[in-house]
Amino acid sequence: MLKKIHVPLLFHYRECDSFTDYLHRQSLKGWHFKEFRFGMVFEKGEPQEKYYSAEVFPEGSEHDLRPDSDAIEYSGYCEAAGWKFLDGIRKFCVFERIRENAVPIITEEEKLANILKAEKQNWLLRYFPLFLFLVFYLPFMLLQHFSDIAFQSALLFIMLGFFLYLILSVGKGLSILLWHRRAKKALNEGHPISCKSRLHFLHVLEPLLLFALFFLTAYYAIRENSVSSPLLYVAALLTIPVFNLILSTFRPGRRQQMNIRMISALAVFILSITSIFFFNIPDSRPANKGLPEHAVLLPSDFTDAVPDPDAPPEYNYSESLLGSKESCSIWYTSSAYTDTVHHFDYTIYHPSYLWVRNFLWRQSPKDYSGVPLIWEDFSDNWSGLEAVKSDSGFGTQFRILYKNAVLDLWLDSSLKPEQISQIESRIFQIYSLSE
């Protein structure tokens, strides 16, 4: 029979009354709160009707894993008022009533001020830095690198996680403001403030959602060979939760925490450098094997090209829920001029949704030096819905919009009308495009 259980602490500061009620209900079942260590620790005993008070200590820190000297001193005043201090973590302090005539530890006004201060600090520390980063980062990534992100499942899930975190941070901030507005209104009307949880089960969704996104990202990163070593990737992602587990178990003080974090960061850096320079970690990604077994568009389909033996072709394929992306890059020489090496590459996108296709088409690629290309209409020469062309010092790039695809084609020389017809005939045959 279990004599001790650990329960995750999922209560917010503005839910301290629900926290108090939960501890009381547990005591009626014979589970009595003992301490905070890897969550809340309850010991099995006889069912008793114990009364608790979960208070928010304003001088505490979000990094406190155990009560500091200020919290211990504060608990002395509370015991004189009839409340025995049991334990504390972050800004939470848990007391047990030891006298029937115990007076409230703080007034309703102080309670409101303490909770609001704690909730603001928690949001600023936990959500605001990443929120500020994502506000500027997500639009940049979506506008500049959408074609890379949309068709790789691992990157897509990472962006989805960032987007959900952004929504979550905004929702958390708004919920704090709404709670404060309701609590202040209650005080003005002479009523006690409400610090109970209405949708407490939703607190479990956040860690479950983050775990699901972590699992999916790791799965697709390994499946798509996006990392050189799957084991190292998983170990890196597990570093933070394992580190937090160790801290929550041993509960070091503020100064000890700082020292541990510095030592851990240094250890991770040293191990990373050591693994790179002294250990031969096999690369799990398959080497570039050139062209796939199925047919692709080749320079020989519209020129008298001869493959360059010194530069093997490069081929990449990726897919996600939004569609697929296939690219091919080939170096070749002309049968008439074998001393001149030409370069040809193309990327064809097969979006699963119309909005993805339209978003891709509105993006304007840049040349190899990063300069935006200047496009001119070239629709009369292609059978797609739209076609544009850009000439630069590096070559000529074409963009063609089809009903179910977008084609990017780059050559270091211009194309004749008959060559365009040969190219379209070939890609229609290979990819089943719709005009």
Side-chain angles (χ1 to χ4, degrees):
M1 183 177 179
L2 291 175
K3 295 183 178 180
K4 184 184 296 185
I5 59 173
H6 294 260
V7 180
L9 177 61
L10 298 175
F11 293 97
H12 295 157
Y13 294 123
R14 61 184 182 278
E15 299 169 343
C16 54
D17 289 346
S18 294
F19 188 8
T20 297
D21 294 342
Y22 174 76
L23 296 176
H24 176 67
R25 292 195 305 271
Q26 287 292 90
S27 69
L28 295 176
K29 299 175 184 177
W31 290 104
H32 307 292
F33 176 79
K34 180 186 177 184
E35 63 178 348
F36 293 105
R37 191 176 298 275
F38 188 42
M40 297 179 286
V41 179
F42 292 88
E43 289 187 339
K44 186 63 176 176
E46 294 297 324
Q48 298 180 39
E49 191 167 9
K50 292 185 177 182
Y51 292 92
Y52 299 90
S53 179
E55 300 293 336
V56 178
F57 180 52
E59 303 305 320
S61 168
E62 285 297 319
H63 298 296
D64 283 344
L65 299 176
R66 65 183 183 187
D68 67 345
S69 56
D70 292 333
I72 297 298
E73 182 180 355
Y74 174 70
S75 67
Y77 298 106
C78 298
E79 189 162 356
W83 297 91
K84 177 186 175 183
F85 178 66
L86 298 180
D87 200 2
I89 189 170
R90 295 165 48 212
K91 292 179 180 290
F92 267 131
C93 289
V94 176
F95 298 87
E96 180 185 350
R97 195 178 73 181
I98 55 178
R99 289 207 307 264
E100 290 288 339
N101 61 345
V103 298
I105 296 177
I106 56 177
T107 65
E108 290 294 302
E109 290 77 9
E110 291 174 325
K111 185 176 183 179
L112 174 59
N114 292 347
I115 293 175
L116 182 61
K117 179 182 178 181
E119 287 285 7
K120 284 183 177 180
Q121 290 179 348
N122 176 264
W123 188 87
L124 289 173
L125 179 66
R126 185 176 180 182
Y127 294 99
F128 183 70
L130 188 55
F131 167 79
L132 197 62
F133 170 72
L134 292 179
V135 165
F136 297 98
Y137 177 74
L138 278 182
F140 169 78
M141 290 298 294
L142 292 176
L143 292 175
Q144 300 294 327
H145 301 282
F146 180 79
S147 60
D148 297 321
I149 296 170
F151 304 106
Q152 293 191 50
S153 296
L155 290 177
L156 192 61
F157 278 113
I158 290 175
M159 289 296 110
L160 177 62
F162 283 157
F163 183 71
L164 291 177
Y165 194 92
L166 185 62
I167 295 177
L168 181 66
S169 61
V170 173
K172 293 277 187 180
L174 290 176
S175 65
I176 293 172
L177 295 177
L178 291 175
W179 172 85
H180 176 247
R181 183 178 179 180
R182 288 195 300 265
K184 194 172 182 180
K185 181 180 179 181
L187 279 182
N188 293 334
E189 294 175 353
H191 303 298
I193 63 176
S194 174
C195 296
K196 292 184 177 292
S197 174
R198 299 181 179 181
L199 300 172
H200 185 67
F201 69 93
L202 292 178
H203 301 339
V204 185
L205 293 180
E206 181 180 348
L208 288 179
L209 179 63
L210 292 177
F211 174 79
L213 287 172
F214 158 77
F215 176 79
L216 289 171
T217 302
Y219 170 76
Y220 282 107
I222 295 171
R223 179 183 173 184
E224 297 171 353
N225 302 304
S226 301
V227 291
S228 60
S229 175
L231 291 179
L232 284 181
Y233 177 79
V234 173
L237 290 178
L238 289 176
T239 299
I240 294 177
V242 170
F243 180 72
N244 288 333
L245 173 62
I246 294 174
L247 288 181
S248 63
T249 302
F250 294 98
R251 303 180 69 191
R254 294 182 187 178
R255 180 171 297 180
Q256 290 83 0
Q257 277 192 66
M258 185 178 297
N259 294 334
I260 292 174
R261 292 178 189 276
M262 292 177 61
I263 294 173
S264 300
L266 181 61
V268 169
F269 175 76
I270 293 175
L271 288 175
S272 301
I273 297 299
T274 303
S275 64
I276 292 173
F277 289 100
F278 294 97
F279 293 96
N280 183 21
I281 302 174
D283 194 334
S284 66
R285 292 175 293 185
N288 176 34
K289 297 180 180 180
L291 300 179
E293 294 182 359
H294 68 77
V296 296
L297 178 63
L298 299 173
S300 57
D301 293 327
F302 56 93
T303 65
D304 57 345
V306 177
D308 183 4
D310 297 327
E314 297 178 3
Y315 172 82
N316 291 286
Y317 177 83
S318 61
E319 63 178 330
S320 71
L321 297 174
L322 299 183
S324 64
K325 172 185 175 181
E326 186 171 348
S327 60
C328 188
S329 180
I330 299 175
W331 294 89
Y332 67 97
T333 60
S334 171
S335 59
Y337 304 97
T338 56
D339 294 335
T340 304
V341 179
H342 300 278
H343 185 207
F344 157 82
D345 64 43
Y346 74 94
T347 301
I348 187 162
Y349 305 92
H350 284 280
S352 301
Y353 304 96
L354 183 62
W355 69 266
V356 178
R357 188 206 69 175
N358 294 338
F359 195 92
L360 279 171
W361 180 250
R362 286 195 296 268
Q363 285 191 310
S364 180
K366 300 178 180 179
D367 63 19
Y368 288 101
S369 63
V371 178
L373 297 172
I374 299 175
W375 299 95
E376 61 178 292
D377 184 74
F378 210 62
S379 301
D380 294 339
N381 296 270
W382 295 82
S383 61
L385 300 176
E386 293 183 57
V388 292
K389 182 183 78 166
S390 178
D391 293 311
S392 66
F394 296 93
T396 303
Q397 180 160 341
F398 298 90
R399 298 203 83 203
I400 305 94
L401 175 67
Y402 297 99
K403 186 175 180 180
N404 61 341
V406 174
L407 172 65
D408 281 337
L409 182 67
W410 189 92
L411 307 97
D412 56 8
S413 59
S414 59
L415 287 175
K416 299 177 181 178
E418 59 269 22
Q419 289 178 310
I420 293 177
S421 299
Q422 292 171 340
I423 290 174
E424 284 205 309
S425 176
R426 184 58 174 160
I427 60 174
F428 270 69
Q429 177 186 358
I430 298 172
Y431 299 108
S432 302
L433 300 186
S434 299
E435 295 183 9

